[in-house]
Amino acid sequence: MFTPIKGRTVVVTGGSRGIGKGIARVFAAAGANVVITGRDPAVAEAAALELGKAGGTVSYVAGDVASAADTARLAEEVLARQGGCDVVCANAGIFPAASLDAMTEADIDLVLGVNVKGALLTVQAFLPALKASGHGRVILTSSITGPFTGYPGWAHYGASKAAMLGYMRTAAIELAPHRITVNAILPGNILTEGLSEQGEDYLRSTEAVIPMRRLGDVEDIGNAALFLATDEAAYITGQSIVVDGGQILPESPAALDEI
């Protein structure tokens, strides 16, 4: 149905776990050459070995996306290994909770550094390769938290995810002449290791307010990313796609009692 992306090189930051791992798995299954990044080499290596069974080729480069030196080195290693890069999934993100009255400057710097600065630095590092690709794609992992919703303890996280959309719009304009598209996926509650840590009560109460009555799978986000990476999506840029099972739609939980 779509032009195959088999053989194209896809970089997924934060691809060793959670949503990033799901994105990497979908691209690997489509035959792409996937490179994942993560700060823990042991976790990233294990993830690459597991994901390699899905198809394509999967390797890893350890590094911190909040560091300009690390993102530059990451890009150099990927280009040396693959010879180019076609898709950058700027997915790396953290969400430590802290209430406003307890949040420190270090807390704010950490979240904005990884979630926002990390996305900018990663795309900058791969720009020459994306321009040379001829069909470059940048796919950002934002969230419904920040752009649409809020949650106590995540003021800095919500701010970072909303900031990514502001970045996306300008980047999409600047990179359009190079045939590079820049889009964002806004996940709702996706079943990951991090979400599971919130406890069973949280998971069940969240399911209850989602019209589709289930939490999302990481592959739900991966499939959206795969579509945005296709040649058929070449005229879509500067856009955000919500993947949340309808979570942001109800006016209140009572709306679901009517169906």
Side-chain angles (χ1 to χ4, degrees), residues 109-122:
D109 288 345
L110 178 64
V111 171
L112 296 182
V114 174
N115 297 3
V116 183
K117 180 183 174 184
L120 271 73
L121 290 176
T122 300

Side-chain angles (χ1 to χ4, degrees), residues 39-205:
R39 289 181 291 185
D40 187 326
V43 172
E45 182 178 17
L49 289 172
E50 176 190 336
L51 292 169
K53 299 174 184 177
T57 62
V58 183
S59 59
Y60 77 96
V61 178
D64 181 0
V65 296
S67 162
D70 264 17
T71 52
R73 175 185 54 78
L74 187 157
E76 288 175 4
E77 290 193 30
V78 171
L79 298 182
R81 186 182 303 171
Q82 304 293 343
C85 178
D86 304 291
V87 182
V88 171
C89 296
N91 166 82
I94 56 173
F95 50 98
S99 62
L100 277 173
D101 57 3
M103 192 179 295
T104 66
E105 182 178 6
D107 292 332
I108 297 168
D109 288 345
L110 178 64
V111 171
L112 296 182
V114 174
N115 297 3
V116 183
K117 180 183 174 184
L120 271 73
L121 290 176
T122 300
V123 175
Q124 278 187 323
F126 282 97
L127 263 184
L130 290 170
K131 290 178 180 178
S133 167
H135 40 236
R137 301 284 186 270
V138 173
I139 301 165
L140 309 173
T141 302
S142 179
S143 175
I144 61 169
T145 306
F148 289 105
T149 67
Y151 198 87
W154 285 349
H156 48 354
Y157 173 79
S160 74
K161 293 303 183 177
M164 292 179 77
L165 301 187
Y167 160 60
M168 171 193 73
R169 295 183 183 102
T170 294
I173 294 170
E174 290 189 15
L175 301 183
H178 303 285
R179 294 196 295 168
I180 300 171
T181 66
V182 186
N183 294 291
I185 299 172
L186 282 60
N189 278 273
I190 307 299
L191 191 56
T192 63
E193 303 94 329
L195 194 69
S196 296
E197 290 171 2
Q198 303 298 315
E200 193 68 20
D201 289 344
Y202 177 87
L203 299 182
R204 299 292 79 81
S205 64

